[in-house]
């Protein structure tokens, strides 16, 4: 029996005040590859996704991460044990995309399958107004990296472990995610509590 998932779930409002001072977060930023399997609480996930690419200027829809030419082509997907969701900054919500646990497919390292959360940064090339394919790849990679760096700094501030990963079977993952013809997997990033 296939139970239908709700189309979307609103996240708790992001807590945009407090946290570690920037210079302290920069000093604490590191890549970690050992994770507890403990899932992130809803508020922590909300704050993390807002830091990655949420709306920080309501008057113009400005985001926490810059985007070349304001294309906003990077979409953030959330792979967890209960399935795959996409983050929607305008509504600060998660839209369920699949019930499949795609964490193991988001990378080649062993820890990706059991860490509680893998973020997958996907570029929608239909939004990119650059004709040269090298320029398109450059801009998409840079914009995804801005999101990933925001996640690194948030994780340092919140005491979470994370690592960005470029070694991904992009074609196979895109197929499993059922991405469109103009969507490309750029990076993945594993996030969770550090292993004890």
């Amino acid at each position: 029996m296939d139970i239908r998932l709700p189309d979307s779930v609103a996240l708790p409002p992001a807590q945009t005040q407090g946290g570690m001072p920037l210079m302290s977060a920069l000093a604490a930023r590191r890549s970690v590859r050992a994770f507890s399997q403990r899932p992130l609480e809803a508020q922590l996930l909300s704050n993390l996704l807002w830091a990655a690419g949420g709306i920080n200027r309501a008057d113009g829809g400005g985001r926490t991460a810059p985007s070349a030419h304001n294309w906003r082509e990077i979409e953030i997907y959330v792979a967890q044990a209960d399935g795959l969701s996409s983050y929607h900054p305008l509504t600060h919500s998660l839209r369920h995309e699949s019930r499949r646990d795609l964490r193991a497919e988001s990378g080649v390292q062993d820890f990706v399958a059991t860490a509680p959360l893998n973020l997958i940064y996907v570029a929608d090339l239909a939004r990119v107004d650059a004709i040269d394919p090298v320029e398109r790849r450059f801009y998409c990679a840079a914009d995804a990296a801005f999101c990933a760096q925001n996640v690194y700094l948030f994780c340092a501030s919140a005491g979470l472990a994370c690592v960005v990963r470029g070694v991904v079977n992009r074609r196979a993952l895109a197929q499993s995610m059922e991405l469109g013809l103009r969507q490309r997997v750029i990076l993945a990033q594993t996030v969770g509590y550090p292993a004890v």
Side-chain angles (χ1 to χ4, degrees):
M1 178 178 186
D2 187 31
I3 299 171
R4 181 168 158 67
L5 294 170
D7 286 339
S8 63
V9 175
L11 292 162
Q15 297 168 326
T16 61
Q17 300 293 316
M20 184 182 282
L22 176 61
M23 298 307 274
S24 299
L26 287 167
R29 194 229 51 88
R30 62 188 30 88
S31 293
V32 177
R33 292 168 181 84
F35 298 88
S36 162
Q37 293 183 26
R38 176 181 158 200
L40 273 63
E41 296 83 5
Q43 184 64 63
L44 196 56
L45 178 61
S46 171
N47 296 348
L48 170 77
L49 291 171
W50 180 84
I55 303 292
N56 68 355
R57 286 158 285 153
D59 57 341
R63 308 270 177 98
T64 59
S67 172
H69 302 277
N70 202 28
W71 287 325
R72 301 177 187 177
E73 82 283 8
I74 300 302
E75 299 172 334
I76 302 170
Y77 286 79
V78 180
Q80 299 179 93
D82 64 353
L84 181 73
S85 300
S86 56
Y87 173 59
H88 293 264
L90 291 175
T91 57
H92 194 60
S93 64
L94 287 174
R95 178 178 169 76
H96 294 291
E97 303 291 343
S98 171
R99 300 180 63 128
R100 291 183 55 204
D101 181 355
L102 297 177
R103 292 176 299 166
E105 295 182 50
S106 74
V108 299
Q109 301 90 340
D110 291 342
F111 61 82
V112 301
T114 57
L117 175 70
N118 287 292
L119 300 175
I120 304 164
Y121 301 104
V122 173
D124 183 349
L125 299 181
R127 299 180 197 164
V128 179
D129 190 22
I131 295 172
D132 181 58
V134 173
E135 279 192 33
R136 273 200 307 271
R137 285 193 297 270
F138 170 79
Y139 285 126
C140 292
D143 290 349
F146 294 136
C147 296
Q149 181 65 5
N150 282 6
V151 169
Y152 263 116
L153 293 176
F154 175 82
C155 288
S157 178
L160 295 173
C162 79
V163 62
V164 71
R165 299 175 290 96
V167 181
V168 177
N169 185 336
R170 289 172 176 78
R171 183 167 287 149
L173 180 56
Q175 187 174 17
S176 293
M177 293 173 68
E178 299 181 13
L179 295 180
L181 294 174
R182 303 288 315 265
Q183 292 177 294
R184 300 289 184 274
V185 173
I186 305 296
L187 292 172
Q189 189 170 28
T190 305
V191 176
Y193 291 100
V196 178

